Amino acid sequence: MKSLPYIKFKEHHNYVAFFLTLSCNLHCSYCINLHASNSRYKQARGTRLSADEWIQAANRLILRSDLPLTLQGGEPTLCKGFYKFVNEVKEEIKIDLLTNMMFSIDEFIKNVPRWRFTRDAHYAPIRVSYHPGQNDINDLIRKTLKMQEAGFRVGLYGVLIPEEEVKRHILEIQEMCLKMGIDF
């Protein structure tokens, strides 16, 4: 089989993402990916890449030290072979993770080396999205603190959607997290 060429990004490129899956374990009415029966999910149905194919694709990337490969989706940890991927992609590729953190923290800590999600940036390489009404902020805070204790850089983030009640709630959560030393 003929190998594919490497991909080198130009200086003006500031983001590289792999959407490992559009599957998600939340059901937000405001989801930007329009999961389940909505259009983007329907368009994405079909053949899925295996973990080995994702690894092969990632290993073709030549990324600057300030340009990580961001894993997102849906929920990237739902991708079959997620742990295989993060452990087998070549070490020089720095990885970021956008997640709803609805996975086993103990399993993550056990299966992911800390160095994989470590890089010099002003924001955390593991960014957890808080979805009011879908995931519990107290559970996310507990998991975030446990991940931080294990040596991972994790931040919690919310979206200021236009509903005033939700916006007020997000701002209250932000203030609470910042007082606890959690980036939000």
Side-chain angles (χ1 to χ4, degrees):
M1 178 167 133
K2 182 181 174 190
S3 64
L4 296 170
Y6 288 98
I7 302 168
K8 186 172 183 177
F9 293 84
K10 303 208 185 297
E11 282 300 313
H12 70 273
H13 290 118
N14 63 5
Y15 201 80
V16 177
F18 274 16
F19 287 77
L20 297 178
T21 180
L22 286 179
S23 295
C24 186
N25 41 13
L26 301 180
H27 304 286
C28 305
S29 61
Y30 49 84
C31 180
I32 63 170
N33 287 325
L34 304 172
H35 299 290
S37 62
N38 294 304
S39 64
R40 288 191 189 140
Y41 187 82
K42 285 179 185 174
Q43 290 171 5
R45 287 190 177 176
T47 305
R48 303 281 192 261
L49 295 180
S50 69
D52 289 330
E53 290 169 317
W54 279 115
I55 292 164
Q56 181 181 22
N59 286 340
R60 293 178 52 215
L61 303 177
I62 299 173
L63 300 174
R64 303 183 312 267
S65 62
D66 67 333
L67 185 62
L69 172 58
T70 301
L71 305 180
Q72 53 193 76
E75 173 51 44
T77 62
L78 292 176
C79 176
K80 288 183 177 155
F82 173 80
Y83 293 117
K84 178 180 176 70
F85 179 87
V86 298
N87 281 288
E88 294 184 18
V89 166
K90 61 186 178 183
E91 288 187 26
E92 58 267 26
I93 293 182
K94 297 297 184 184
I95 299 178
D96 279 7
L97 176 64
L98 301 183
T99 179
N100 61 31
M101 205 185 268
M102 300 299 291
F103 55 81
S104 166
I105 296 303
D106 293 328
E107 183 179 354
F108 188 95
I109 291 169
K110 177 183 169 191
N111 289 293
V112 176
R114 286 186 308 276
W115 62 263
R116 179 47 87 185
F117 292 99
T118 304
R119 63 185 187 84
D120 187 26
H122 65 277
Y123 55 85
I126 299 176
R127 297 184 296 284
V128 180
S129 54
Y130 170 47
H131 299 77
Q134 294 293 313
N135 49 11
D136 179 337
I137 190 61
N138 295 313
D139 183 52
L140 293 179
I141 289 171
R142 180 187 58 75
K143 288 178 171 182
T144 296
L145 293 172
K146 187 170 186 175
M147 292 273 288
Q148 288 177 344
E149 287 171 17
F152 291 94
R153 284 189 54 220
V154 181
L156 284 171
Y157 301 89
V159 178
L160 289 174
I161 61 175
E163 290 179 37
E164 279 304 312
E165 186 177 328
V166 175
K167 186 176 179 180
R168 187 171 39 257
H169 172 70
I170 292 291
L171 292 172
E172 289 170 1
I173 297 300
Q174 180 184 39
E175 183 179 349
M176 180 179 75
C177 285
L178 293 174
K179 284 179 181 175
M180 297 173 73
I182 297 173
D183 186 27
F184 191 106

